[in-house]
Amino acid sequence: FLFGCMKTSNKKELINNFFNPIQAIDYTAYQIDDNKVNLKIFYSIDSSQFMYVKESNNEYLAQIQVIFQIIDSNSNQENNRQLLEISISKDNFLDTKKSNYYEGEIDLIIENSECLINMKVIDLQTKTYWTKKQTVDPASTSSYITNLRLYQIDGENNSQVQKKVNK
């Protein structure tokens, strides 16, 4: 009788522990006219969990779609959408599982107001999808080129440096 019952906090904890291949979303923005901003989105995807199909030339190929939605924070309306179709090719099966990151960037023209980036990654072989959201305030990014991520490499272990610097 109790198999389907679960506390809500435990459910949220389980959902948060599932793998999400969207490792990072970052952005920079600059004004192009009075009310338009060029938003450059940088993203990183861990491609190790996608379904790879062995091709006739002995390469392994994963097909994914990445959808970027720009949603106005005030009206909750979609202002812009971009779809990318990406093929990830590896020479052998072991390369599909280790250090398999895809990094990219995309430019979108948006209104000069706070908005939300909704990023969705779809594995076309399994139809599995993942989402991640990021709030964007173009007014606060005008004095920055981009956010900088520092990593410390120690043998095979890589760790992101989390210390903050004032300027």
Side-chain angles (χ1 to χ4, degrees), residues 13-30:
E13 189 176 284
L14 283 174
I15 290 169
N16 290 337
N17 287 332
F18 286 126
F19 172 80
N20 189 337
I22 305 170
Q23 297 297 298
I25 302 175
D26 216 342
Y27 66 91
T28 186
Y30 61 88

Side-chain angles (χ1 to χ4, degrees), residues 8 24 39 47-48 52 56 64 70-71 83 105 108 114 118 120 132 145 147 164 167:
T8 349
L39 177 68
S47 307
S48 65
Y52 284 81
S56 59
I64 64 171
I70 305 299
I71 300 172
L83 170 73
E105 60 186 60
L108 298 169
E114 189 173 303
N118 186 21
K120 184 176 189 177
K132 197 167 212 171
I145 296 173
N147 289 335
K164 296 191 180 217
K167 294 188 180 190

Side-chain angles (χ1 to χ4, degrees), residues 4-17:
C5 296
M6 184 183 281
K7 291 182 183 176
T8 349
S9 61
N10 289 345
K11 241 185 218 181
K12 287 180 183 176
E13 189 176 284
L14 283 174
I15 290 169
N16 290 337
N17 287 332

Side-chain angles (χ1 to χ4, degrees), residues 99 101 150-161:
S99 299
Y101 289 92
L150 300 175
Y151 292 88
Q152 175 181 350
I153 300 173
D154 180 20
E156 293 205 11
N157 298 323
N158 296 343
S159 60
Q160 185 175 353
V161 177

